[in-house]
């Protein structure tokens, strides 16, 4: 067994995959003597010859101390001596144990109605065919079972009824699930990775619907149904003695500045005119405590409700993202357990059984081929990187520096173009040429058109440049995705900076009433209108690109026999690009929802139609991408990009709430230094005990112990994680040893069979020779 032990040690040193290879390489010298011993030993002695027992014995001898080992050996020796002194009693006990082992255990086979029902319910999760499930169910129903009595029977009936109700309710919900058939259609043609994208759109739609419900219930409806607790002071604009810069006068001027209703459709598209003074935008909401006209006289603090709803749906969004990201991370972690069997998993476990037609199966074959090819290419690139000479490293390093420099220049140029277009649009809108309706509309939407145009063109240029850097296929996707995300987020940052530069003065204040201030009277509503236009233009661009540009291209690629036209017009469903489209819309919704509460409703509508637009682009215009996308990998990709966008979005919104002074003309925070002042005032009017608790929480006496406790908890979970990883490794090695036990037993069994065959052959030969000898003797006599 020394050779086997040496191989066990070498297996542990090399790792799990090497251990797996030992399944078919293990050899045990001295097999024949051991096999001869097998005939003369009991099964318990045979078990001691297994590799796992030998390995476990060696491990235990190293793991435990000498005294414990000596005590165990002494006890075993004493047991052996006692057994040797009483052979008859031992034989009788052994015979009794053997006889008892042959008898059936009636206590285990005897089941009641509840246990049978639970076993029937568990049949659904069994990975067997439907015929076997029906056979197993019929066997369980036909077997003898005890009938429950009294309270146990009542409890079981109640639980059974509740399970049936829950099952029927879940089945009904699944039947009423929106887009169920569409998701099956996409899954059948493109696999689970692409259908995860459409589930992501559905998830975003329901997230925005929940935000819309919050805004409607706690902000829009109270502002519409409730009346102010006290009437605001009136401002006479015709009087010269009235302070024209007071909050009341500024509010009156803004309320009277309604544009005439020339074209209601254009006002809805622009978010101006009558639409501007509705619940859709920030400027509509009052800055007073509202009261319900009833004997109870219920009061409602509108400024506090507005900021609390904003903070609430931000926390809800963050919680939903973190929960989904954690779920995707767990699935990705489980999927990553098979990294040592990469090619084996691709070939034997890479098939998507949701695919149902021949065309999609051929595409899936190509996708698997490309995945194997890309993995081999990654290994080739890694090997090339290791064996690369200094001259090649310097050349590639120079190319990557130049490419990154070019990308940086392109990003700076794109951002400067957005800024210049915004300044040009703002300047031209004050001139005579802007009085033309068509020109004025074009100038108003010019910044949005510039941002959307760059979002369409820049990813194509970035995709061409990344090919020069000679990255691995997966790194190419991540690099392109990260650069495109930074472009879109930076473009939004430039738009916000342009907004804040425009609001350097207040036209309602005396220093801004001389005509030099071009800032809008309600800058929050203006920002909300710009995000409103960005969302509309981006949505219209998706419609135009899908039905005007990509549809003819797709039809040409399908019906043309020219290989050049097919190559130029053929489209793949590029999943990262489509993910950025919906993440960009959601980022606009988050950024603008504080300034325009209508944006979550608009985003829900856009995502509803976006599902059908992307479905058309997927099934009609495109073919599946050669880059395979798994569901867990897709979910983690979606949530990572969405979380990055959320974190970047929090910065400008937090600055607006904490530092920016609100408008004096509109909104629930007019007259305050910052929006956060409402929280401070509410905290100042709270009970004294609550203030003391909050003050204590903010002191070092609470923060330091809390920090130490969190560090200890973090260390504890780290230790648990390390222990679990070690246990996983131990279990993997145990599986390897179990497989080696099977190989050991098969080897011994084949040796025994071979020896028996040789023994029978020798016996037949001896019998034949004896018969021949007897024949010769009889003939000689």
């Amino acid at each position: 067994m020394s050779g086997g032990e040496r191989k066990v040690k070498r297996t542990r040193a090399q790792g799990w995959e090497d251990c797996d290879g030992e399944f078919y390489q293990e050899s045990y010298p001295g097999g024949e003597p051991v096999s001869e011993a097998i005939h003369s030993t009991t099964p318990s002695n045979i078990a001691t010859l297994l590799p796992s027992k030998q390995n476990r014995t060696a491990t235990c001898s190293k793991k435990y101390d000498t005294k414990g080992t000596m005590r165990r050996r002494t006890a075993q020796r004493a047991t052996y001596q006692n057994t040797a002194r009483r052979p008859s009693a031992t034989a009788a006990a052994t015979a009794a144990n053997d006889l008892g082992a042959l008898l059936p255990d009636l206590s285990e086979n005897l089941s009641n109605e509840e246990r049978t029902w639970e076993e029937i319910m568990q049949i659904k999760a069994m990975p067997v065919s439907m015929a076997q499930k029906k056979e197993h169910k019929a066997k369980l129903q036909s077997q003898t079972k005890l009938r429950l009595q009294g309270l146990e029977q009542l409890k079981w009936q109640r639980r059974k009824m509740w399970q049936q109700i829950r099952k029927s309710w879940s089945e009904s919900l699944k039947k009423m699930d929106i887009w169920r058939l569409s998701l099956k259609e996409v899954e059948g043609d493109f696999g689970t990775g692409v259908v995860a994208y459409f589930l992501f759109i559905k998830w975003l739609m329901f997230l925005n619907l929940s935000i819309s419900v919050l805004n409607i219930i706690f902000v829009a409806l109270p502002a519409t149904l409730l009346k102010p607790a006290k009437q605001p002071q009136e401002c006479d604009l015709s009087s010269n003695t009235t302070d024209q810069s007071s909050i009341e006068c500024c509010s009156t001027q803004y309320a009277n500045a309604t544009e005439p209703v020339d074209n209601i459709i254009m006002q809805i598209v622009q978010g101006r005119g009558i639409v501007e003074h509705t619940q859709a935008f920030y400027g509509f909401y009052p800055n007073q405590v509202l009261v319900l006209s009833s004997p109870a006289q219920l009061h409602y603090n509108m400024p506090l409700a507005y900021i609390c709803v904003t903070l609430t749906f931000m926390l809800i969004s963050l919680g939903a993202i973190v929960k989904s990201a954690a779920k995707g991370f767990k699935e990705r972690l489980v999927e990553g357990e098979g990294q040592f069997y990469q090619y084996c998993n691709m070939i034997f476990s890479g098939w998507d059984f949701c695919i149902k037609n021949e065309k999609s199966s051929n595409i899936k074959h190509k996708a698997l081929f490309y995945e194997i090819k890309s993995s081999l290419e990654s290994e080739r690139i890694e090997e090339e990187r290791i064996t690369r000479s200094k001259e090649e490293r310097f050349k590639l390093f120079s190319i990557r520096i130049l490419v990154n420099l070019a990308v940086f220049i392109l990003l700076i140029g794109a951002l400067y173009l957005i800024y210049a277009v915004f300044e040009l649009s703002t300047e031209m809108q004050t001139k005579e040429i802007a009085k033309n309706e068509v020109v004025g509309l074009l100038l108003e939407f010019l910044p949005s058109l510039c941002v959307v145009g760059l979002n369409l063109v820049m990813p194509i240029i970035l995709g061409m440049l990344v090919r020069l850097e000679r990255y691995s296929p997966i790194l190419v996707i991540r690099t392109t995705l990260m650069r495109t995300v930074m472009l879109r987020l930076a473009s939004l940052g430039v738009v916000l900076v342009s907004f804040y530069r425009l609001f350097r003065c207040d036209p309602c204040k005396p220093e801004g009433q001389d005509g030099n201030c071009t800032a809008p009277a309600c800058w929050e509503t203006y920002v909300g209108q710009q995000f409103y236009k960005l969302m509309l233009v981006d949505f219209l661009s998706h419609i135009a690109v899908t039905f005007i540009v990509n549809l003819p291209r797709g039809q040409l690629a399908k019906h043309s026999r020219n290989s050049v036209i097919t190559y130029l017009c053929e489209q793949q469903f590029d999943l990262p690009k489509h993910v950025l489209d919906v993440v960009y819309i959601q980022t606009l919704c988050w950024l603008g929802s504080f300034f325009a509460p209508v944006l979550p409703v608009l985003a829900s509508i856009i995502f509803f139609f976006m599902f059908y637009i992307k479905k058309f682009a997927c099934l009609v215009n495109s073919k599946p991408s050669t880059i395979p996308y798994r569901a867990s990998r897709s979910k983690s990709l979606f949530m990572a990009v969405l979380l990055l966008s959320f974190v970047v979005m929090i910065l400008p919104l937090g600055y607006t709430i904490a530092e920016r002074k609100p408008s004096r003309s509109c909104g629930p925070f007019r007259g305050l230094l910052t929006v956060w002042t409402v929280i401070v005032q509410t905290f100042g009017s709270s009970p004294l005990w609550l203030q003391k608790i909050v003050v204590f929480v903010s002191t070092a006496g609470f923060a330091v112990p809390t920090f130490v406790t969190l560090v200890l908890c973090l260390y504890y979970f780290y230790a648990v994680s390390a222990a679990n990883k070690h246990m996983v490794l131990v279990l993997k090695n145990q599986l390897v040893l179990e497989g080696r036990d099977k190989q050991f037993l098969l080897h011994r069994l084949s040796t025994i069979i071979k020896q028996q065959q040789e023994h029978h052959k020798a016996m037949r030969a001896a019998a034949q020779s004896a018969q021949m000898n007897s024949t010769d003797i009889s003939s000689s006599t």
Side-chain angles (χ1 to χ4, degrees):
M1 296 302 294
S2 60
E5 291 176 1
R6 284 196 298 270
K7 290 198 174 185
V8 170
K9 293 178 182 178
R10 185 173 62 83
T11 298
R12 286 181 173 272
Q14 290 182 357
W16 168 255
E17 191 171 14
D18 294 336
C19 289
D20 187 25
E22 295 290 336
F23 281 2
Y24 305 98
Q25 299 174 4
E26 185 66 36
S27 62
Y28 298 93
E32 289 76 15
V34 176
S35 62
E36 293 175 0
I38 290 177
H39 294 285
S40 60
T41 56
T42 61
S44 60
N45 292 333
I46 296 176
T48 60
L49 301 175
L50 295 176
S52 61
K53 300 295 183 181
Q54 297 291 329
N55 187 278
R56 190 175 297 114
T57 303
T59 304
C60 292
S61 63
K62 295 178 182 179
K63 192 171 182 180
Y64 296 104
D65 58 341
T66 309
K67 295 182 179 179
T69 307
M70 292 299 295
R71 282 196 296 267
R72 284 193 299 273
R73 290 178 179 175
T74 304
Q76 292 174 0
R77 191 180 299 114
T79 304
Y80 174 76
Q81 290 175 357
N82 293 333
T83 306
R85 291 194 189 101
R86 295 177 296 174
S88 58
T90 305
T94 304
N97 291 334
D98 294 339
L99 183 60
L102 296 175
L103 294 177
D105 190 358
L106 298 178
S107 62
E108 292 183 359
N109 297 330
L110 201 58
S111 62
N112 52 31
E113 292 176 322
E114 185 176 5
R115 187 184 301 174
T116 304
W117 171 260
E118 291 176 354
E119 292 177 357
I120 291 175
M121 291 295 102
Q122 292 173 358
I123 292 177
K124 296 182 178 180
M126 296 174 61
V128 295
S129 63
M130 187 60 66
Q132 292 177 343
K133 289 182 179 181
K134 290 181 178 179
E135 181 181 358
H136 191 48
K137 181 179 179 181
K139 187 182 299 183
L140 288 174
Q141 289 178 340
S142 61
Q143 71 180 4
T144 305
K145 49 186 175 291
L146 293 176
R147 183 174 180 84
L148 298 176
Q149 302 293 333
L151 185 61
E152 296 294 330
Q153 175 75 15
L154 180 61
K155 289 182 179 179
W156 174 64
Q157 291 291 343
R158 287 176 55 189
R159 202 177 92 178
K160 182 179 178 181
M161 181 180 65
W162 173 248
Q163 288 180 355
Q164 291 176 347
I165 293 174
R166 187 171 57 182
K167 176 184 174 183
S168 60
W169 176 252
S170 62
E171 290 179 354
S172 301
L173 288 179
K174 288 181 180 179
K175 291 179 181 179
M176 294 186 297
D177 191 13
I178 185 173
W179 300 325
R180 183 170 59 92
L181 297 178
S182 299
L183 291 173
K184 287 185 177 180
E185 184 179 2
V186 173
E187 190 175 25
D189 290 340
F190 284 75
T192 56
V194 177
V195 82
Y197 167 72
F198 290 92
L199 291 174
F200 181 60
I201 296 178
K202 179 181 175 181
W203 183 83
L204 287 176
M205 187 190 73
F206 281 107
L207 177 64
N208 287 286
L209 281 176
S210 62
I211 295 174
S212 304
V213 170
L214 280 176
N215 281 328
I216 292 172
I217 293 177
F218 296 103
V219 176
L221 287 180
T224 305
L225 302 177
L226 304 183
K227 298 179 179 179
K230 57 180 180 179
Q231 294 297 326
Q233 297 179 2
E234 296 182 359
C235 175
D236 188 6
L237 297 176
S238 62
S239 176
N240 295 328
T241 59
T242 307
D243 185 8
Q244 298 294 322
S245 63
S246 64
I247 296 175
E248 290 78 10
C249 291
C250 292
S251 302
T252 304
Q253 290 176 6
Y254 175 73
N256 295 334
T258 306
E259 298 179 2
V261 183
D262 295 333
N263 190 345
I264 187 64
I265 302 297
M266 293 304 300
Q267 290 190 359
I268 292 175
V269 171
Q270 295 175 337
R272 302 176 62 179
I274 296 179
V275 180
E276 182 178 350
H277 296 277
T278 60
Q279 292 87 346
F281 292 97
Y282 170 92
F284 170 82
Y285 296 96
N287 63 332
Q288 299 178 3
V289 176
L290 306 180
V291 64
L292 180 62
S293 299
S294 64
Q297 292 293 314
L298 299 176
H299 293 77
Y300 194 83
N301 192 340
M302 176 54 65
L304 181 62
Y306 197 94
I307 184 62
C308 286
V309 167
T310 302
L311 297 177
T312 300
F313 73 69
M314 289 299 171
L315 291 176
I316 290 175
S317 302
L318 179 61
I321 294 172
V322 170
K323 182 180 178 181
S324 299
K327 184 178 179 181
F329 176 75
K330 288 194 294 185
E331 294 176 356
R332 183 75 179 272
L333 188 64
V334 172
E335 183 182 292
E337 286 295 321
Q339 58 183 340
F340 298 109
Y341 307 104
Q342 185 178 6
Y343 299 103
C344 181
N345 290 339
M346 288 180 191
I347 296 173
F348 296 104
S349 304
W351 186 255
D352 192 345
F353 290 93
C354 294
I355 296 176
K356 59 184 179 181
N357 54 35
E358 184 179 359
K359 180 181 177 181
S360 299
S361 64
N362 293 332
I363 294 172
K364 184 63 179 179
H365 278 292
K366 294 179 181 179
L368 290 174
F369 170 76
Y370 179 81
E371 187 173 4
I372 297 173
K373 183 180 177 181
S374 62
S375 299
L376 292 172
E377 181 69 15
S378 300
E379 292 186 1
R380 187 191 66 79
I381 293 175
E382 181 65 21
E383 185 178 357
E384 181 184 353
R385 185 187 65 83
I386 296 173
T387 60
R388 195 175 290 154
S389 63
K390 292 183 178 180
E391 292 78 8
E392 293 177 347
R393 291 181 183 178
F394 178 76
K395 182 180 178 180
L396 184 59
F397 187 69
S398 303
I399 292 174
R400 290 179 179 178
I401 289 178
L402 292 176
V403 169
N404 282 283
L405 184 61
V407 170
F408 180 75
I409 293 173
L410 286 173
L411 291 178
I412 295 298
L415 299 180
Y416 179 76
L417 179 62
I418 294 173
Y419 177 77
V421 168
F422 186 86
E423 293 291 331
L424 178 65
S425 174
T426 305
E427 183 181 354
M428 295 296 293
Q429 285 181 13
T430 59
K431 296 184 178 181
E432 286 292 327
I433 192 173
K435 293 183 178 180
N436 189 345
E437 185 177 356
V438 177
V439 176
L441 184 64
L442 180 61
L443 290 174
E444 188 175 352
F445 280 91
L446 190 59
S448 302
L449 292 172
C450 179
V451 172
V452 172
L454 288 174
N455 289 337
L456 292 176
V457 175
M458 287 295 294
I460 300 175
I461 301 175
L462 295 177
M464 294 178 179
L465 289 176
V466 78
R467 297 175 185 173
L468 302 175
E469 298 179 283
R470 294 169 62 184
Y471 289 127
S472 61
I474 189 66
L475 194 58
V476 168
I477 296 173
R478 292 175 180 174
T479 305
T480 307
L481 183 63
M482 186 57 62
R483 289 171 178 173
T484 310
V485 169
M486 295 307 298
L487 169 68
R488 297 203 175 192
L489 295 179
S491 64
L492 291 180
V494 171
V495 171
L496 291 174
V497 170
S498 303
F499 289 160
Y500 289 136
R501 288 190 73 256
L502 183 63
F503 308 146
R504 287 177 295 184
C505 61
D506 190 351
C508 188
K509 288 187 177 182
E511 61 271 12
Q513 294 178 357
D514 55 358
N516 297 327
C517 184
T518 58
C522 184
W523 65 267
E524 292 92 348
T525 298
Y526 179 81
V527 173
Q529 289 171 347
Q530 298 304 315
F531 282 114
Y532 178 81
K533 295 172 189 176
L534 275 173
M535 289 183 67
L536 285 180
V537 172
D538 189 77
F539 177 62
L540 294 176
S541 69
H542 290 308
I543 296 177
V545 170
T546 302
F547 295 101
I548 299 177
V549 179
N550 290 337
L551 179 59
R553 285 181 57 197
Q555 296 303 316
L556 280 175
K558 288 181 180 179
H559 302 290
S560 177
R561 297 182 179 179
N562 192 340
S563 59
V564 177
I565 296 177
T566 303
Y567 176 77
L568 293 176
C569 296
E570 198 172 41
Q571 308 166 58
Q572 293 183 357
F573 193 77
D574 190 7
L575 195 58
K577 175 184 174 299
H578 294 285
V579 170
L580 287 178
D581 294 337
V582 296
V583 170
Y584 180 71
I585 295 176
Q586 184 60 41
T587 306
L588 292 176
C589 174
W590 279 330
L591 269 174
S593 57
F594 177 77
F595 309 102
V598 72
L599 290 187
V601 180
L602 180 63
S604 303
I605 298 172
I606 288 176
F607 283 129
F608 178 81
F609 289 103
M610 186 71 76
F611 182 91
Y612 294 101
I613 294 172
K614 296 299 181 181
K615 177 187 173 184
F616 185 87
C618 177
L619 298 178
V620 179
N621 295 345
S622 307
K623 70 173 187 178
S625 175
T626 53
I627 302 175
Y629 296 103
R630 294 184 180 179
S632 59
R633 183 188 303 173
S634 302
K635 290 177 184 177
S636 59
L637 174 68
F638 305 157
M639 292 304 163
V641 177
L642 190 62
L643 184 60
L644 177 63
S645 302
F646 182 85
V647 171
V648 175
M649 176 273 308
I650 284 293
L651 300 177
L653 189 60
Y655 171 77
T656 302
I657 293 174
E659 298 294 335
R660 192 72 187 180
K661 187 175 182 179
S663 298
R664 296 170 57 86
S665 305
C666 63
F669 308 104
R670 67 189 84 170
L672 300 177
L673 292 177
T674 60
V675 175
W676 194 253
T677 306
V678 175
I679 303 295
V680 176
Q681 292 177 354
T682 305
F683 175 72
S685 61
S686 61
L688 186 60
W689 60 270
L690 182 59
Q691 295 183 23
K692 290 182 178 179
I693 292 175
V694 175
V695 170
F696 173 73
V697 168
S698 61
T699 58
F702 178 81
V704 173
T706 303
F707 177 75
V708 173
T709 305
L710 289 176
V711 170
L712 292 176
C713 292
L714 182 63
Y715 176 76
Y716 169 75
F717 285 113
Y718 171 77
V720 171
S721 175
N724 290 334
K725 289 181 180 179
H726 178 69
M727 182 56 66
V728 168
L729 183 61
V730 169
L731 293 176
K732 285 181 177 180
N733 292 331
Q734 185 176 352
L735 286 175
V736 172
L737 292 175
E738 294 294 334
R740 293 182 58 188
D741 288 347
K742 294 179 182 179
Q743 295 296 322
F744 173 81
L745 294 175
L746 289 174
H747 176 72
R748 293 297 178 261
L749 181 61
S750 62
T751 304
I752 293 172
I753 293 174
K754 184 178 180 180
Q755 290 178 354
Q756 288 180 351
Q757 291 176 351
E758 293 177 354
H759 178 70
H760 290 312
K761 186 185 295 184
M763 292 295 291
R764 286 195 297 270
Q768 291 177 359
S769 62
Q771 184 177 5
M772 292 176 62
N773 292 332
S774 62
T775 304
D776 294 338
I777 293 172
S778 60
S779 61
S780 62
T781 56

